[in-house]
Amino acid sequence: MAAAGAHRPGPLKQQNKAHKGGKHSGSSQRRAGGRVPVKAQPRRRLRDLNRVDRRHQALQLRRQRKEAVLAEKRSLGSRDGPPHLVVVVLLHSRAAAQDSLRLLQSQDAAAVRADEGGAGGFALLCPRLKQRWRFVTAQAGDLHAVLDLAKVADSLLFILDPVDGWDSAGEHCLSCLFAQGLPSYALAVPGGTDLPPKKRIDARKKLSKCIEKRFPEAKLFPLNTEQESSLLLRHLSSQKQRHLAFRARRAHLLARAAEFVPSQDSDLVGTLKVSGFVRGQTLNVNSLVHIVGHGDFQLSQVDAPPDPLSLNPRVLKGQKRSQQDMEVQDDSGNGAVEMEEDVKVLMKADPSKQESLQSEVVPDPMEGEQTWPTEEELQEAEDSLKANRRVVKVPKGTSKYQAAWIVDDGEEGSEKDDDDEDDDMDDDLMEEAVSQEGESSEEEEEAGEEESETMTVSECLRDEQYDEKMEEDEQMLERYKQERMDEMFPDEVDTPRDVPARVRFQKYRGLKSFRTSPWDPKENLPRDYARIFQFQDFSRTRKNLFRQIEKEETEGASVGWYVTLHVCNVPVSVMESFKEGKPLVLFSLLPHEQKMSVLNFLVRRHPGNSEPVRAKEELIFHCGFRRFRASPLFSQHTSADKHKLERFLRPDAALVVTVYAPITFPPASVLLFKQRSNGMHDLIATGSLLSVDPDRIVIKRLVLSGHPFKIFTKMAVVRYMFFNREDVMWFKPVELRTKWGRRGHIKEPLGTHGHMKCHFDGQLKSQDTVLLNLYKRVFPKWTYDPHVPEPVPWVSSESALPEQEVEME
């Protein structure tokens, strides 16, 4: 009926002629020379499906995603997968952790509890539910331990105080965890039973209202009885798992036990045998591993000991194991003697396929571009030798080679080496003066301490210590002043009076346009660039590598296997930190991730920190699974090919941080910390890894300012920009601009004291300022240090929740 009632065009419908394209169509065919373009099958035609097929395809995709999520839930903590790793994080100094852990251990009569080794914590086995958990408690106040455990945890269990929730130390910990990437989590509130029922309900409502900002749609679980602990366990095992990208593509492992075997040459270095469950991806013995906080190492072999947390530990006496069966975890033995017999060697490293530990390129100082000289160049060189011949009196018996080195009296001291200047000479004179004053004050303090060693201590010792704190405040005040001056007068410097401007700024150049003027990224590179690696196309390499990880199956220890890794050439300090209770976390490295390059991070200032942070100041980086110290550069985040240097970390804009560091494939989160004088680490910025690109051009700008002395129609006499005639002639080609938008150029110098006649595109105002922009490319300093000192634990001063309540009210 619908087809019969549709409109059909009648016989009188106008039919227009088709467009023929004119005479040039024939000429274009003649230019083609008979070549016919290849007719490719469009992808849209291949994807054209009818309505039923589209519904069927969408149903299949939805079913596949649902099955993948269910398979992931079922494998986590099951017989075939690794135990469900739960990290307990205390967010308040009054939070009762021991009582909560006892409830979790005794929640099920059928559960089997196994005490852990040197890492601390306990395991919970439930054969009836076919689930197994491993609980590890992070040391309160130890920031590195919390972040390292959160890198590998399947779930985080936050223990809150029933009244205040979390304190200032807990607030700092949450800020770092959210910036690094938060896995699945649950909130538990033990205690509060001593309050009256009415006050208990009010406190619960107040706590739920206060945590809405940090944890939207989060459910609070009371933890006072065995029934409540079983509900919490059920929630942990059934909730949706949140993935962290930097660990999903790399095999990782949390050590359950470790053993150090010293080498024959030295007791300080040896083989570290680390046992744990493989997570994330398949672990290959030929790839490198990174021990978080200690560096990169090679593996010699991978063993498969019996699974200590097996859900089916019983083995029949007459049962024989198949040699081809690699999953020896499911049939574990009982006792240390049988364990040694049951250990199988899964694989050994192949030296031909093993990744190298080389992180830097060894530059050859003699390697350079050399071309064979032409006949004209040879003739010019010979003529110059004849012109430069001189007569020198030499002792009898002196050869021609020795005579060439004899210098006349008039030639001594005629040449000076100008190439020994460091890049720091190009910083502001005011900054140099401040640093010199700081160094001189430190030297005076040290000298005063040495002189006062034999003196008796006076009663005002506390006042002297208080004055030391006041000196730190004065230095901080000076930094605030510098940051404020840089905001008011960006990049403006004073022209020196004692040094000619053409000498002081000889490494700078002028640009017609900062946006469009060309700048070769390979021009005048520093020597450190000869030590780094660079990709021809980083994004393509990353895409191919991730596609290979998803499609191809690598040989090695599968996810969920309990293995022992033999890590070569490990210092004994790693084992000592593990014995102290520090977590031992291992990540396998992707190809090229041990090599040094130039990394660019996109960060934003953390709102909880407002101290001024200068460029090239040493900061502590937590990038993905790595931790290191470096002195970064700050630059603007733009889409242009050149990026302006920022002298301070701006609080109101996203900036790019550039450092020398090992290659890491994004996505990866980054946290920037600054170490205080007392050893505490303050979180100053958070962000993510932007790119690995040594060709990113960071340009430092200097602005020289002058004042109009005499103003005419379009001419003006400017002074105070330079102080001698030669400087005016040197900077004559550079374009001028003013703060009120005028543009011009230098016509000629006037006199010998730096006055100059300038021409502009309009009449200047008397209150206007004439500016001259100079540019220079800058590079980061090679201050990479993989060893980061342990931070001093945060001291909880006061709770953080009442402040949030006041803000919401």
Side-chain angles (χ1 to χ4, degrees):
M1 296 296 294
H7 174 73
R8 295 178 180 177
L12 300 179
K13 176 175 172 57
Q14 179 179 351
Q15 299 289 336
N16 296 328
K17 289 183 177 180
H19 181 65
K20 294 184 177 179
K23 296 181 180 180
H24 65 275
S25 60
S27 61
S28 62
Q29 293 176 3
R30 286 193 298 271
R31 284 197 301 270
R35 293 187 296 272
V36 180
V38 178
K39 190 174 280 188
Q41 183 77 5
R43 295 183 180 179
R44 185 177 179 182
R45 192 175 301 170
L46 295 175
R47 290 198 304 265
D48 280 346
L49 302 173
N50 56 25
R51 188 177 181 183
V52 177
D53 291 340
R54 287 198 303 270
R55 283 187 175 180
H56 185 59
Q57 187 180 29
L59 183 63
Q60 285 181 333
L61 293 174
R62 194 181 307 120
R63 188 178 300 162
Q64 289 175 1
R65 287 194 292 265
K66 186 176 180 180
E67 290 177 355
V69 171
L70 288 175
E72 183 185 6
K73 279 187 178 180
R74 289 166 183 163
S75 64
L76 183 62
S78 66
R79 171 178 173 272
D80 299 327
H84 192 141
L85 180 59
V86 181
V87 175
V88 181
V89 181
L90 306 179
L91 294 183
H92 201 283
S93 58
R94 295 197 303 265
Q98 297 299 327
D99 298 338
S100 305
L101 298 180
R102 290 194 195 98
L103 284 173
L104 291 172
Q105 293 180 30
S106 61
Q107 61 88 27
D108 194 350
V112 179
R113 293 171 297 279
D115 292 332
E116 291 294 324
F122 65 93
L124 194 63
L125 307 179
C126 296
R128 182 174 59 84
L129 301 176
K130 297 181 180 180
Q131 288 285 325
R132 51 182 181 171
W133 291 272
R134 183 184 176 189
F135 289 86
V136 179
T137 305
Q139 295 182 3
D142 191 349
L143 182 63
H144 284 180
V146 174
L147 293 179
D148 292 349
L149 288 172
K151 289 179 174 67
V152 294
D154 297 318
S155 300
L156 294 180
L157 179 59
F158 294 114
I159 306 296
L160 280 68
D161 183 71
V163 179
D164 296 331
W166 58 82
D167 52 14
S168 58
E171 175 71 21
H172 178 69
C173 179
L174 286 176
S175 300
C176 299
L177 288 174
F178 273 90
Q180 178 180 264
L182 202 63
S184 303
Y185 61 89
L187 305 177
V189 186
T193 55
D194 53 345
L195 297 175
K198 188 174 181 181
K199 290 187 177 180
R200 193 184 311 169
I201 296 175
D202 294 342
R204 182 72 180 273
K205 289 182 179 180
K206 177 183 175 183
L207 189 61
S208 301
K209 184 180 178 182
C210 290
I211 66 172
E212 285 180 357
K213 277 190 175 182
R214 275 291 189 188
F215 303 100
E217 301 178 1
K219 183 180 178 181
L220 282 173
F221 287 88
L223 198 58
N224 298 313
T225 61
E226 293 185 7
Q227 184 179 3
E228 291 173 347
S229 64
S230 62
L231 289 175
L232 177 60
L233 278 179
R234 185 180 300 174
H235 173 74
L236 288 172
S237 59
S238 62
Q239 68 177 344
K240 183 179 179 181
Q241 294 297 312
R242 305 174 67 176
H243 298 279
L244 298 181
F246 72 88
R247 76 178 185 187
R249 295 185 174 94
R250 300 171 179 87
H252 52 276
L253 178 144
L254 175 63
R256 183 180 180 274
E259 179 186 355
F260 183 77
V261 180
S263 63
Q264 299 178 356
D265 300 335
S266 174
D267 294 338
L268 301 178
V269 179
T271 301
L272 184 67
K273 298 180 182 180
V274 183
S275 301
F277 291 91
V278 180
R279 302 172 185 273
Q281 293 288 334
T282 303
L283 179 63
N284 190 2
V285 69
N286 293 319
S287 61
L288 300 178
V289 294
H290 177 80
I291 302 178
V292 177
H294 298 282
D296 305 334
F297 303 95
Q298 288 180 330
L299 297 177
S300 60
Q301 73 179 40
V302 178
D303 298 340
D307 188 355
L309 304 181
S310 176
L311 291 172
N312 302 317
R314 295 180 181 178
V315 181
L316 297 177
K317 293 183 179 179
Q319 182 179 359
K320 294 183 179 179
R321 299 185 182 181
S322 174
Q323 294 181 358
Q324 297 178 355
D325 187 14
M326 305 294 287
E327 297 182 356
V328 298
Q329 300 94 307
D330 302 334
D331 303 316
S332 61
N334 320 332
V337 179
E338 295 183 5
M339 184 182 296
E340 294 181 0
E341 296 177 357
D342 293 338
V343 171
K344 282 188 176 181
V345 179
L346 287 181
M347 63 198 78
K348 289 191 176 182
D350 186 359
S352 60
K353 299 180 181 179
Q354 199 171 21
E355 290 281 345
S356 173
L357 280 172
Q358 181 184 2
S359 60
E360 301 178 16
V361 180
V362 181
D364 186 4
M366 300 303 294
E367 183 181 3
E369 184 181 358
Q370 291 186 348
T371 56
W372 190 258
T374 60
E375 294 182 359
E376 297 178 355
E377 292 176 347
L378 291 173
Q379 187 63 34
E380 290 178 2
E382 190 175 349
D383 295 342
S384 64
L385 285 175
K386 290 180 181 179
N388 292 333
R389 285 178 182 172
R390 54 194 174 88
V391 180
V392 184
K393 292 182 179 180
V394 298
K396 190 175 181 180
T398 305
S399 63
K400 292 182 179 180
Y401 176 78
Q402 293 171 338
W405 287 92
I406 296 178
V407 183
D408 293 341
D409 295 337
E411 294 180 359
E412 277 190 17
S414 60
E415 297 180 357
K416 294 182 179 179
D417 188 8
D418 295 334
D419 297 331
D420 294 334
E421 295 180 357
D422 194 21
D423 289 340
D424 296 335
M425 287 292 294
D426 298 316
D427 293 339
D428 302 342
L429 292 179
M430 182 172 59
E431 300 170 3
E432 295 175 358
V434 171
S435 63
Q436 289 175 2
E437 288 177 5
E439 292 175 0
S440 62
S441 62
E442 291 177 0
E443 292 175 358
E444 291 174 2
E445 288 179 2
E446 293 176 0
E449 290 176 359
E450 292 177 358
E451 293 175 359
S452 61
E453 283 181 355
T454 57
M455 295 175 64
T456 57
V457 180
S458 61
E459 297 179 356
C460 58
L461 182 60
R462 294 182 181 178
D463 295 339
E464 293 177 1
Q465 293 176 353
Y466 188 80
D467 290 339
E468 290 178 1
K469 295 182 180 179
M470 292 301 295
E471 291 176 1
E472 294 179 4
D473 293 344
E474 290 178 359
Q475 294 177 3
M476 189 62 65
L477 176 62
E478 190 64 32
R479 288 185 178 182
Y480 277 117
K481 287 182 179 179
Q482 293 177 13
E483 186 180 23
R484 181 63 177 165
M485 290 293 292
D486 188 60
E487 290 179 2
M488 296 174 61
F489 307 100
D491 302 324
E492 288 192 32
V493 298
D494 295 330
T495 307
R497 301 291 299 269
D498 53 345
V499 182
R502 62 186 182 277
V503 177
R504 170 67 179 85
F505 308 119
Q506 60 183 346
K507 294 185 179 181
Y508 291 80
R509 68 179 73 174
L511 293 178
K512 179 72 175 176
S513 171
F514 184 80
R515 185 177 61 88
T516 60
S517 296
W519 198 303
D520 186 7
K522 304 296 184 182
E523 177 187 0
N524 293 334
L525 297 178
R527 291 185 177 181
D528 290 336
Y529 264 53
R531 303 165 58 184
I532 65 173
F533 291 84
Q534 183 176 5
F535 293 95
Q536 188 174 1
D537 191 342
F538 178 73
S539 60
R540 185 193 303 170
T541 304
R542 171 180 170 272
K543 191 181 298 182
N544 294 339
L545 188 62
F546 288 172
R547 189 184 297 119
Q548 181 181 359
I549 293 173
E550 293 176 358
K551 293 184 178 180
E552 298 183 5
E553 294 184 1
T554 58
E555 298 180 356
S558 299
V559 178
W561 291 6
Y562 185 76
V563 297
T564 298
L565 307 182
H566 294 247
V567 190
C568 304
N569 299 325
V570 179
V572 71
S573 59
V574 180
M575 188 63 191
E576 292 175 354
S577 65
F578 180 69
K579 289 181 179 179
E580 293 174 358
K582 306 288 184 182
L584 188 59
V585 179
L586 282 78
F587 273 85
S588 67
L589 298 181
L590 300 178
H592 314 296
E593 284 197 327
Q594 79 278 12
K595 300 174 182 176
M596 296 290 292
S597 188
V598 178
L599 271 62
N600 302 303
F601 305 101
L602 180 60
V603 303
R604 186 176 288 274
R605 190 70 183 263
H606 189 258
N609 187 278
S610 60
E611 294 184 3
V613 180
R614 290 177 52 90
K616 297 184 180 180
E617 188 175 349
E618 188 181 74
L619 300 177
I620 297 171
F621 289 76
H622 287 241
C623 174
F625 53 89
R626 290 189 186 274
R627 198 162 57 225
F628 57 89
R629 290 187 293 178
S631 300
L633 292 179
F634 305 141
S635 59
Q636 293 180 352
H637 179 50
T638 59
S639 59
D641 60 340
K642 295 181 290 295
H643 311 273
K644 180 182 164 298
L645 175 77
E646 291 288 346
R647 286 177 167 82
F648 290 89
L649 187 62
R650 301 294 182 191
D652 54 349
L655 297 180
V656 176
V657 177
T658 304
V659 292
Y660 291 111
I663 294 170
T664 304
F665 289 99
S669 59
V670 61
L671 286 76
L672 269 65
F673 292 89
K674 185 178 178 182
Q675 186 171 358
R676 294 185 192 173
S677 58
N678 58 0
M680 296 178 65
H681 291 182
D682 290 334
L683 181 64
I684 61 172
T686 59
S688 60
L689 177 60
L690 180 64
S691 64
V692 181
D693 186 14
D695 288 342
R696 191 177 191 276
I697 302 175
V698 180
I699 302 296
K700 180 179 181 180
R701 184 182 70 172
L702 286 187
V703 179
L704 304 181
S705 58
H707 301 274
F709 178 48
K710 295 179 180 179
I711 300 175
F712 304 98
T713 306
K714 288 189 177 182
M715 301 287 294
V717 178
V718 180
R719 61 179 178 179
Y720 301 149
M721 183 177 288
F722 304 108
F723 298 101
N724 56 70
R725 185 183 184 91
E726 290 76 11
D727 287 344
V728 177
M729 296 298 296
W730 180 267
F731 291 99
K732 186 177 179 181
V734 184
E735 187 182 14
L736 301 176
R737 67 178 182 90
T738 69
K739 289 189 175 182
W740 285 29
R742 297 297 182 191
R743 292 188 174 273
H745 59 274
I746 302 173
K747 293 245 350 171
E748 57 181 356
L750 297 177
T752 60
H753 294 280
H755 290 208
M756 54 187 183
K757 185 188 295 185
C758 304
H759 183 272
F760 295 92
D761 57 357
Q763 188 171 7
L764 294 185
K765 301 293 184 181
S766 59
Q767 63 268 33
D768 203 351
T769 305
V770 182
L771 305 176
L772 183 141
N773 294 340
L774 298 175
Y775 303 94
K776 185 195 73 166
R777 184 179 179 184
V778 291
F779 302 91
K781 289 184 177 181
W782 193 292
T783 57
Y784 171 77
D785 185 6
H787 303 290
V788 178
E790 292 291 334
V792 175
W794 267 73
V795 180
S796 302
S797 57
E798 54 185 10
S799 61
L801 292 184
E803 298 178 3
Q804 297 180 358
E805 183 186 2
V806 172
E807 292 176 359
M808 288 186 286
E809 288 177 358

